[in-house]
Amino acid sequence: MRHLGLQDYSQCFEAMKAFNERRTSSTADEIWLLEHQPVFTQGQAGKEEYILTPGDIPVVKSDRGGHVTYHGPGQITAYILVDLKRLKLGVRDLVSLIEHALVDTLQDWKISASPRKDAPGVYIASGEKIASLGLRIRKGCSYHGLNFNIAMDMAPWQQINPCGLGVAMTQLSDLVDQPPNIQAVSDKLIDYLSAGLGYNEVQIGSSSAVLN
């Protein structure tokens, strides 16, 4: 698991693709944990009309699944770079695993949430969406991952139709009395993701090994 801090989306996108292309059957799986500078990303199913008023926020076309979403500071992004064949996981298995890790993390803050069968992601009981998913599988391995809204500027979400669903977005800090520490939430999420993937040990790395 690598803590990468605040990163440019395009640079991380290229680094993920490069990692996936050069990995072999013996390459260790990795999770990259970071925040992005403000950007809208458009997945393979994205439609131009879902980007309502981008303003001065850049729009980047991505090869992940899904529609348009927003990334910005105060949002946890976790990129899941795992060998599905080695883990004996199907794509739906990985999606469910990620969703359950998010649900379990939210439960630690006494927030009831669940996935939806018709649209990947995690939604609180009132129907608002708090986390988004988008993956790409190539050569039996995954990249891209999840975005989890913690304590961010929510205004840019009004500039798009998130995931093409017309759904309202929310964040953890608006659902609890005391705004959470993003590091504490990240640590819990990593624990649940690691357990779901069957990792007994998590090695911590930094940005130097992947983005330089």
Side-chain angles (χ1 to χ4, degrees):
M1 193 272 294
R2 301 186 185 276
H3 283 288
L4 305 186
L6 183 64
Q7 296 287 340
D8 173 76
Y9 179 84
S10 294
Q11 186 179 8
C12 283
F13 181 22
E14 293 303 320
M16 280 191 292
K17 289 191 291 184
F19 177 89
N20 197 71
E21 285 301 316
R22 68 175 177 262
R23 70 178 301 166
T24 68
S25 58
S26 61
T27 301
D29 294 334
E30 295 191 3
I31 299 175
W32 297 358
L33 201 68
L34 58 137
E35 299 172 61
H36 276 309
Q37 296 163 353
V39 64
F40 296 123
T41 65
Q42 195 170 27
Q44 291 182 312
K47 297 181 179 180
E48 295 295 333
E49 59 263 33
Y50 293 159
I51 302 172
L52 307 176
T53 54
D56 59 358
I57 298 176
V59 179
V60 176
K61 291 190 176 181
S62 176
D63 64 352
R64 62 167 173 78
H67 294 279
V68 63
T69 194
Y70 172 66
H71 313 260
Q75 176 194 69
I76 296 172
T77 292
Y79 290 136
I80 316 296
L81 297 95
V82 300
D83 187 330
L84 296 180
K85 292 184 292 185
R86 187 167 61 206
L87 292 172
K88 296 181 172 58
L89 289 175
V91 178
R92 183 64 246 181
D93 297 325
L94 179 59
V95 169
S96 295
L97 185 156
I98 294 170
E99 290 173 334
H100 289 147
L102 288 160
V103 168
D104 289 342
T105 302
L106 285 164
Q107 188 58 52
D108 282 345
W109 275 267
K110 312 301 182 186
I111 296 168
S112 177
S114 61
R116 272 173 48 172
K117 291 183 179 180
D118 61 330
V122 171
Y123 305 78
I124 64 170
S126 61
E128 295 170 299
K129 190 173 187 178
I130 194 167
S132 305
L133 274 69
L135 294 168
R136 174 70 189 269
I137 310 300
R138 180 168 167 76
K139 300 193 299 184
C141 299
S142 67
Y143 58 106
H144 296 292
L146 67 92
N147 302 307
F148 184 11
N149 304 337
I150 306 300
M152 63 190 305
D153 177 7
M154 297 295 286
W157 288 108
Q158 303 302 315
Q159 298 171 232
I160 61 172
N161 178 355
C163 305
L165 296 173
V167 66
M169 304 296 294
T170 191
Q171 61 181 339
L172 183 53
S173 63
D174 292 338
L175 304 174
V176 294
D177 292 333
Q178 294 184 339
N181 179 295
I182 195 167
Q183 184 62 55
V185 183
S186 298
D187 290 346
K188 287 289 186 180
L189 177 62
I190 286 296
D191 285 347
Y192 289 121
L193 284 172
S194 298
L197 290 165
Y199 299 152
N200 294 321
E201 295 182 3
V202 178
Q203 295 183 343
I204 307 299
S206 64
S207 62
S208 59
V210 294
L211 295 180
N212 292 341

